[in-house]
Amino acid sequence: MKLIKLKTDLIKAIELDKRLGFVPTMGSLHEGHKALIKTSKRNCKKTLVSIFVNPTQFNNKKDFETYPKNLKKDLNYLKKLKVDYVYLPTIKQIYWKKKIKIKLNKSQNILCAKFRKGHFEGVLDVLDRFVELISPQKIFMGEKDFQQFFLVKNYIENKYNTKVYACKTIRAKNKLALSSRNSLLNKQSFIRSGIITKKLLILKNEINKNKKNYKKLIFNLKKELSKSFDIKIEYLECRNVKNLNTDILNKPFKLFVAYFINNVRLIDNF
Ligand code: AMP
Protein backbone atom coordinates (compact mmCIF):
# COMPACT_ATOMS: atom_id res chain seq x y z
CA MET A 1 0.00 0.00 0.00
CA LYS A 2 1.46 3.33 -1.06
CA LEU A 3 0.70 6.27 1.22
CA ILE A 4 0.72 9.56 -0.69
CA LYS A 5 0.51 13.08 0.70
CA LEU A 6 1.81 15.27 -2.12
CA LYS A 7 0.05 15.94 -5.39
CA THR A 8 3.28 15.60 -7.35
CA ASP A 9 3.91 12.16 -5.81
CA LEU A 10 0.37 11.11 -6.62
CA ILE A 11 0.66 12.10 -10.27
CA LYS A 12 3.90 10.16 -10.56
CA ALA A 13 2.58 7.05 -8.78
CA ILE A 14 -0.55 6.62 -10.89
CA GLU A 15 0.87 7.84 -14.19
CA LEU A 16 0.67 4.44 -15.87
CA ASP A 17 -2.55 3.17 -14.27
CA LYS A 18 -5.25 3.17 -16.90
CA ARG A 19 -7.83 1.09 -15.02
CA LEU A 20 -7.91 2.93 -11.74
CA GLY A 21 -10.81 2.71 -9.30
CA PHE A 22 -11.32 5.61 -6.91
CA VAL A 23 -13.10 5.54 -3.53
CA PRO A 24 -13.35 9.02 -1.99
CA THR A 25 -13.90 9.04 1.79
CA MET A 26 -13.74 11.32 4.79
CA GLY A 27 -12.16 8.60 6.94
CA SER A 28 -13.38 6.89 10.13
CA LEU A 29 -13.75 3.90 7.93
CA HIS A 30 -16.32 1.16 8.42
CA GLU A 31 -17.83 -1.81 6.58
CA GLY A 32 -19.70 0.57 4.23
CA HIS A 33 -16.40 1.93 2.94
CA LYS A 34 -15.04 -1.63 2.86
CA ALA A 35 -17.83 -2.68 0.48
CA LEU A 36 -16.92 0.15 -1.92
CA ILE A 37 -13.23 -0.75 -1.78
CA LYS A 38 -13.95 -4.44 -2.41
CA THR A 39 -16.15 -3.56 -5.39
CA SER A 40 -13.42 -1.34 -6.77
CA LYS A 41 -10.82 -4.08 -6.30
CA ARG A 42 -13.05 -6.57 -8.13
CA ASN A 43 -13.70 -4.21 -11.04
CA CYS A 44 -10.44 -2.29 -11.46
CA LYS A 45 -6.78 -3.12 -11.74
CA LYS A 46 -5.71 -0.69 -9.01
CA THR A 47 -7.66 1.05 -6.26
CA LEU A 48 -7.04 4.47 -4.79
CA VAL A 49 -8.75 5.57 -1.56
CA SER A 50 -8.66 9.19 -0.45
CA ILE A 51 -9.19 10.34 3.11
CA PHE A 52 -10.04 14.03 3.19
CA VAL A 53 -12.48 15.79 5.49
CA ASN A 54 -13.55 18.43 2.99
CA PRO A 55 -14.22 21.75 4.76
CA THR A 56 -16.25 23.27 1.92
CA GLN A 57 -19.06 20.72 2.23
CA PHE A 58 -19.76 21.54 5.87
CA ASN A 59 -22.32 24.28 6.38
CA ASN A 60 -21.60 24.26 10.11
CA LYS A 61 -18.14 24.93 11.58
CA LYS A 62 -18.77 22.86 14.70
CA ASP A 63 -19.89 19.89 12.59
CA PHE A 64 -16.61 20.09 10.65
CA GLU A 65 -14.52 20.34 13.80
CA THR A 66 -16.24 17.43 15.54
CA TYR A 67 -16.31 15.14 12.49
CA PRO A 68 -14.85 11.79 13.74
CA LYS A 69 -11.20 11.24 12.87
CA ASN A 70 -9.31 7.98 13.20
CA LEU A 71 -6.34 8.06 10.84
CA LYS A 72 -4.14 5.42 12.46
CA LYS A 73 -6.97 2.89 12.60
CA ASP A 74 -8.03 3.80 9.04
CA LEU A 75 -4.57 3.14 7.64
CA ASN A 76 -4.42 -0.28 9.31
CA TYR A 77 -7.85 -1.07 7.93
CA LEU A 78 -6.81 -0.08 4.39
CA LYS A 79 -3.58 -2.08 4.66
CA LYS A 80 -5.57 -5.20 5.54
CA LEU A 81 -7.82 -4.59 2.54
CA LYS A 82 -4.72 -4.43 0.33
CA VAL A 83 -5.58 -1.05 -1.18
CA ASP A 84 -2.97 0.05 -3.73
CA TYR A 85 -2.88 3.80 -3.01
CA VAL A 86 -4.07 5.97 -0.15
CA TYR A 87 -4.15 9.70 -0.82
CA LEU A 88 -4.11 11.99 2.21
CA PRO A 89 -4.04 15.53 0.90
CA THR A 90 -3.97 18.71 2.97
CA ILE A 91 -6.59 21.42 2.39
CA LYS A 92 -3.93 23.50 0.61
CA GLN A 93 -3.07 20.64 -1.77
CA ILE A 94 -6.69 20.43 -2.89
CA TYR A 95 -7.69 24.08 -2.90
CA TRP A 96 -4.58 25.38 -4.58
CA LYS A 97 -6.48 27.19 -7.34
CA LYS A 98 -9.70 29.15 -7.54
CA LYS A 99 -12.46 27.74 -9.71
CA ILE A 100 -15.79 28.97 -11.00
CA LYS A 101 -18.38 28.32 -8.30
CA ILE A 102 -20.58 25.31 -8.97
CA LYS A 103 -24.27 26.09 -8.53
CA LEU A 104 -27.19 23.71 -8.19
CA ASN A 105 -30.30 24.63 -10.13
CA LYS A 106 -33.68 25.17 -8.50
CA SER A 107 -34.96 21.65 -9.13
CA GLN A 108 -31.87 20.24 -7.40
CA ASN A 109 -32.51 22.27 -4.27
CA ILE A 110 -34.35 19.44 -2.50
CA LEU A 111 -33.77 16.98 0.37
CA CYS A 112 -30.28 17.55 1.83
CA ALA A 113 -29.54 20.39 -0.63
CA LYS A 114 -32.43 22.34 0.86
CA PHE A 115 -31.37 21.80 4.46
CA ARG A 116 -27.58 21.92 4.10
CA LYS A 117 -26.96 25.05 2.05
CA GLY A 118 -23.77 24.81 -0.01
CA HIS A 119 -23.16 21.18 0.97
CA PHE A 120 -23.39 19.59 -2.48
CA GLU A 121 -21.65 22.53 -4.14
CA GLY A 122 -18.73 21.66 -1.82
CA VAL A 123 -18.99 17.94 -2.63
CA LEU A 124 -19.05 18.56 -6.39
CA ASP A 125 -16.18 21.03 -6.18
CA VAL A 126 -13.92 18.64 -4.27
CA LEU A 127 -14.75 15.69 -6.51
CA ASP A 128 -14.14 17.81 -9.59
CA ARG A 129 -10.68 18.61 -8.21
CA PHE A 130 -10.00 14.95 -7.36
CA VAL A 131 -11.10 13.67 -10.77
CA GLU A 132 -9.10 16.33 -12.61
CA LEU A 133 -6.04 15.16 -10.70
CA ILE A 134 -6.58 11.38 -10.66
CA SER A 135 -8.53 10.68 -13.89
CA PRO A 136 -9.97 7.45 -12.50
CA GLN A 137 -11.75 5.07 -14.82
CA LYS A 138 -14.39 4.38 -12.16
CA ILE A 139 -15.60 5.97 -8.93
CA PHE A 140 -17.47 3.95 -6.30
CA MET A 141 -19.94 5.65 -3.98
CA GLY A 142 -22.57 4.55 -1.48
CA GLU A 143 -26.27 4.33 -2.16
CA LYS A 144 -26.70 5.48 1.42
CA ASP A 145 -25.98 9.01 0.21
CA PHE A 146 -28.18 8.59 -2.84
CA GLN A 147 -28.68 12.28 -3.58
CA GLN A 148 -24.91 12.76 -3.44
CA PHE A 149 -24.38 9.81 -5.79
CA PHE A 150 -27.08 11.16 -8.14
CA LEU A 151 -25.57 14.67 -8.36
CA VAL A 152 -21.96 13.46 -8.61
CA LYS A 153 -22.80 10.93 -11.34
CA ASN A 154 -24.52 13.62 -13.40
CA TYR A 155 -21.79 16.17 -12.93
CA ILE A 156 -18.72 13.95 -13.35
CA GLU A 157 -19.99 11.79 -16.22
CA ASN A 158 -20.94 14.95 -18.15
CA LYS A 159 -17.52 16.47 -17.75
CA TYR A 160 -15.05 13.57 -17.63
CA ASN A 161 -14.46 10.16 -19.08
CA THR A 162 -15.11 8.61 -15.66
CA LYS A 163 -18.02 6.37 -14.67
CA VAL A 164 -19.65 6.66 -11.26
CA TYR A 165 -21.18 3.55 -9.65
CA ALA A 166 -23.31 3.07 -6.54
CA CYS A 167 -22.90 0.25 -4.01
CA LYS A 168 -25.63 -1.03 -1.70
CA THR A 169 -26.00 0.40 1.79
CA ILE A 170 -24.32 -1.67 4.50
CA ARG A 171 -26.24 -1.78 7.77
CA ALA A 172 -25.57 -2.65 11.40
CA LYS A 173 -27.34 -5.67 12.92
CA ASN A 174 -30.16 -3.41 14.11
CA LYS A 175 -30.61 -2.14 10.49
CA LEU A 176 -29.18 1.33 11.08
CA ALA A 177 -27.09 2.32 8.04
CA LEU A 178 -23.41 2.38 8.93
CA SER A 179 -22.01 5.89 9.05
CA SER A 180 -18.91 7.52 10.48
CA ARG A 181 -21.28 9.73 12.45
CA ASN A 182 -22.74 6.72 14.29
CA SER A 183 -19.73 6.87 16.62
CA LEU A 184 -21.19 10.14 17.92
CA LEU A 185 -24.38 8.38 19.04
CA ASN A 186 -24.83 7.20 22.61
CA LYS A 187 -26.12 3.67 23.21
CA GLN A 188 -29.74 4.73 23.65
CA SER A 189 -29.75 6.78 20.43
CA PHE A 190 -28.14 3.93 18.52
CA ILE A 191 -30.88 1.55 19.69
CA ARG A 192 -33.60 4.13 18.93
CA SER A 193 -32.27 4.79 15.42
CA GLY A 194 -32.39 1.06 14.79
CA ILE A 195 -36.06 0.96 15.76
CA ILE A 196 -36.76 4.05 13.62
CA THR A 197 -35.02 2.40 10.65
CA LYS A 198 -37.20 -0.71 11.00
CA LYS A 199 -40.31 1.47 11.09
CA LEU A 200 -39.16 3.23 7.93
CA LEU A 201 -38.58 -0.10 6.19
CA ILE A 202 -42.14 -1.10 7.09
CA LEU A 203 -43.40 2.27 5.81
CA LYS A 204 -41.67 1.68 2.47
CA ASN A 205 -43.44 -1.68 2.20
CA GLU A 206 -46.79 -0.12 3.02
CA ILE A 207 -46.29 2.61 0.42
CA ASN A 208 -45.39 -0.05 -2.14
CA LYS A 209 -48.72 -1.73 -1.44
CA ASN A 210 -50.75 1.48 -1.39
CA LYS A 211 -48.91 4.08 -3.44
CA LYS A 212 -51.88 6.37 -3.91
CA ASN A 213 -52.09 6.88 -0.18
CA TYR A 214 -48.39 7.57 0.34
CA LYS A 215 -48.71 11.13 1.64
CA LYS A 216 -51.05 10.08 4.42
CA LEU A 217 -48.84 7.10 5.36
CA ILE A 218 -45.82 9.39 5.60
CA PHE A 219 -47.75 11.98 7.58
CA ASN A 220 -48.86 9.38 10.14
CA LEU A 221 -45.41 7.89 10.69
CA LYS A 222 -43.81 11.33 10.90
CA LYS A 223 -46.23 12.21 13.67
CA GLU A 224 -45.59 8.93 15.50
CA LEU A 225 -41.79 9.20 15.27
CA SER A 226 -41.66 12.80 16.43
CA LYS A 227 -43.90 11.96 19.36
CA SER A 228 -42.40 8.65 20.50
CA PHE A 229 -38.71 9.32 19.92
CA ASP A 230 -36.78 12.41 20.79
CA ILE A 231 -35.95 13.28 17.18
CA LYS A 232 -36.30 16.25 14.84
CA ILE A 233 -37.19 15.14 11.33
CA GLU A 234 -35.83 17.39 8.57
CA TYR A 235 -37.53 15.52 5.78
CA LEU A 236 -39.31 12.24 5.09
CA GLU A 237 -40.24 12.12 1.41
CA CYS A 238 -40.72 9.82 -1.54
CA ARG A 239 -38.91 10.68 -4.76
CA ASN A 240 -38.56 8.81 -8.01
CA VAL A 241 -35.05 7.50 -8.57
CA LYS A 242 -34.71 8.66 -12.16
CA ASN A 243 -34.77 12.41 -11.60
CA LEU A 244 -35.63 12.79 -7.90
CA ASN A 245 -38.92 14.56 -8.56
CA THR A 246 -42.05 13.75 -6.56
CA ASP A 247 -43.85 11.94 -9.35
CA ILE A 248 -43.70 8.39 -7.98
CA LEU A 249 -46.98 6.80 -8.92
CA ASN A 250 -45.84 4.81 -11.95
CA LYS A 251 -42.12 4.96 -11.33
CA PRO A 252 -39.54 3.26 -9.14
CA PHE A 253 -39.04 5.41 -6.07
CA LYS A 254 -37.17 5.68 -2.80
CA LEU A 255 -38.14 6.90 0.62
CA PHE A 256 -35.65 9.53 1.86
CA VAL A 257 -35.14 10.59 5.45
CA ALA A 258 -32.98 12.99 7.44
CA TYR A 259 -33.32 13.53 11.17
CA PHE A 260 -31.47 14.70 14.24
CA ILE A 261 -31.16 12.37 17.19
CA ASN A 262 -29.07 13.31 20.18
CA ASN A 263 -27.76 16.28 18.12
CA VAL A 264 -26.43 13.90 15.44
CA ARG A 265 -27.81 14.23 11.92
CA LEU A 266 -28.56 10.88 10.24
CA ILE A 267 -29.73 10.26 6.68
CA ASP A 268 -30.95 7.14 4.95
CA ASN A 269 -33.05 5.93 2.05
CA PHE A 270 -35.02 2.78 1.35
P1 AMP B 1 -17.96 9.36 3.80
O1 AMP B 1 -16.64 8.91 4.32
O2 AMP B 1 -19.04 9.34 4.81
O3 AMP B 1 -17.87 10.65 3.03
O4 AMP B 1 -18.39 8.26 2.74
C1 AMP B 1 -17.55 7.87 1.69
C2 AMP B 1 -18.34 6.98 0.77
O5 AMP B 1 -18.82 5.84 1.49
C3 AMP B 1 -19.59 7.68 0.19
O6 AMP B 1 -19.71 7.35 -1.17
C4 AMP B 1 -20.71 7.10 1.02
O7 AMP B 1 -21.95 7.08 0.35
C5 AMP B 1 -20.20 5.69 1.26
N1 AMP B 1 -20.87 5.10 2.42
C6 AMP B 1 -21.02 5.64 3.65
N2 AMP B 1 -21.74 4.83 4.46
C7 AMP B 1 -22.06 3.74 3.72
C8 AMP B 1 -22.81 2.54 3.98
N3 AMP B 1 -23.36 2.31 5.16
N4 AMP B 1 -22.94 1.64 2.99
C9 AMP B 1 -22.37 1.86 1.77
N5 AMP B 1 -21.66 2.97 1.47
C10 AMP B 1 -21.50 3.91 2.42
Side-chain angles (χ1 to χ4, degrees):
M1 184 174 89
K2 212 175 221 168
L3 194 65
I4 302 166
K5 290 189 177 166
L6 294 176
K7 213 161 29 192
T8 42
D9 292 343
L10 177 72
I11 293 168
K12 226 189 242 162
I14 61 175
E15 196 173 34
L16 300 173
D17 295 319
K18 294 277 171 280
R19 287 182 51 220
L20 189 62
F22 176 40
V23 180
T25 83
M26 298 211 294
S28 269
L29 304 176
H30 50 70
E31 300 260 330
H33 299 108
K34 182 174 163 183
L36 306 187
I37 292 166
K38 284 195 149 181
T39 311
S40 173
K41 282 181 68 86
R42 267 199 312 274
N43 288 284
C44 305
K45 203 155 177 208
K46 296 268 179 79
T47 291
L48 186 156
V49 176
S50 65
I51 300 180
F52 180 63
V53 184
N54 173 34
T56 68
Q57 70 187 68
F58 286 82
N59 54 336
N60 176 322
K61 201 168 166 231
K62 194 166 164 237
D63 189 25
F64 172 62
E65 283 163 0
T66 55
Y67 194 83
K69 288 173 196 75
N70 236 326
L71 188 58
K72 216 171 154 196
K73 214 169 140 204
D74 287 348
L75 293 178
N76 272 327
Y77 197 66
L78 295 173
K79 217 180 216 169
K80 280 195 190 122
L81 289 173
K82 297 196 168 69
V83 164
D84 300 284
Y85 308 111
V86 180
Y87 182 38
L88 296 173
T90 56
I91 293 175
K92 244 186 166 166
Q93 287 269 314
I94 294 295
Y95 293 104
W96 63 285
K97 66 170 174 183
K98 274 216 163 117
K99 287 180 98 171
I100 295 170
K101 266 208 159 155
I102 295 167
K103 270 195 166 170
L104 298 192
N105 62 40
K106 218 173 151 200
S107 70
Q108 291 170 321
N109 193 25
I110 54 168
L111 305 172
C112 284
K114 188 169 147 192
F115 289 93
R116 294 185 75 187
K117 290 278 173 247
H119 168 64
F120 288 122
E121 287 85 344
V123 170
L124 293 175
D125 186 13
V126 77
L127 278 163
D128 191 15
R129 290 166 189 266
F130 271 130
V131 175
E132 195 177 304
L133 184 64
I134 298 165
S135 302
Q137 188 188 41
K138 294 173 178 164
I139 299 180
F140 298 91
M141 304 189 81
E143 220 176 74
K144 180 191 159 261
D145 303 283
F146 189 86
Q147 188 180 14
Q148 168 174 277
F149 159 72
F150 180 87
L151 290 169
V152 169
K153 186 174 173 68
N154 263 322
Y155 184 85
I156 295 294
E157 291 188 356
N158 263 326
K159 190 166 171 186
Y160 298 97
N161 200 9
T162 296
K163 288 262 174 245
V164 184
Y165 298 90
C167 302
K168 288 238 159 315
T169 302
I170 307 298
R171 298 180 178 280
K173 272 208 180 92
N174 72 351
K175 296 286 181 207
L176 178 65
L178 295 186
S179 161
S180 306
R181 288 177 195 275
N182 291 0
S183 65
L184 302 172
L185 295 172
N186 60 26
K187 201 169 172 198
Q188 189 198 44
S189 304
F190 178 78
I191 293 169
R192 284 188 176 172
S193 341
I195 301 169
I196 293 166
T197 307
K198 282 175 203 141
K199 285 186 181 287
L200 291 167
L201 282 161
I202 294 170
L203 173 65
K204 171 79 194 282
N205 266 334
E206 283 175 354
I207 295 174
N208 264 332
K209 281 188 247 158
N210 188 0
K211 248 186 179 180
K212 278 200 180 119
N213 212 13
Y214 85 92
K215 283 189 179 153
K216 180 85 183 139
L217 292 167
I218 287 181
F219 178 83
N220 289 345
L221 188 72
K222 225 172 159 176
K223 210 161 109 187
E224 185 200 322
L225 292 180
S226 307
K227 211 168 121 192
S228 319
F229 300 87
D230 194 13
I231 64 169
K232 188 179 149 264
I233 299 175
E234 263 187 359
Y235 60 77
L236 177 58
E237 288 178 35
C238 284
R239 299 248 167 200
N240 88 48
V241 289
K242 207 128 192 226
N243 57 15
L244 292 188
N245 77 21
T246 49
D247 172 20
I248 66 153
L249 285 185
N250 298 307
K251 310 216 164 68
F253 72 99
K254 273 179 173 287
L255 177 67
F256 292 89
V257 69
Y259 63 93
F260 281 94
I261 182 161
N262 191 215
N263 285 324
V264 182
R265 186 174 184 275
L266 300 179
I267 63 168
D268 205 342
N269 63 81
F270 309 88

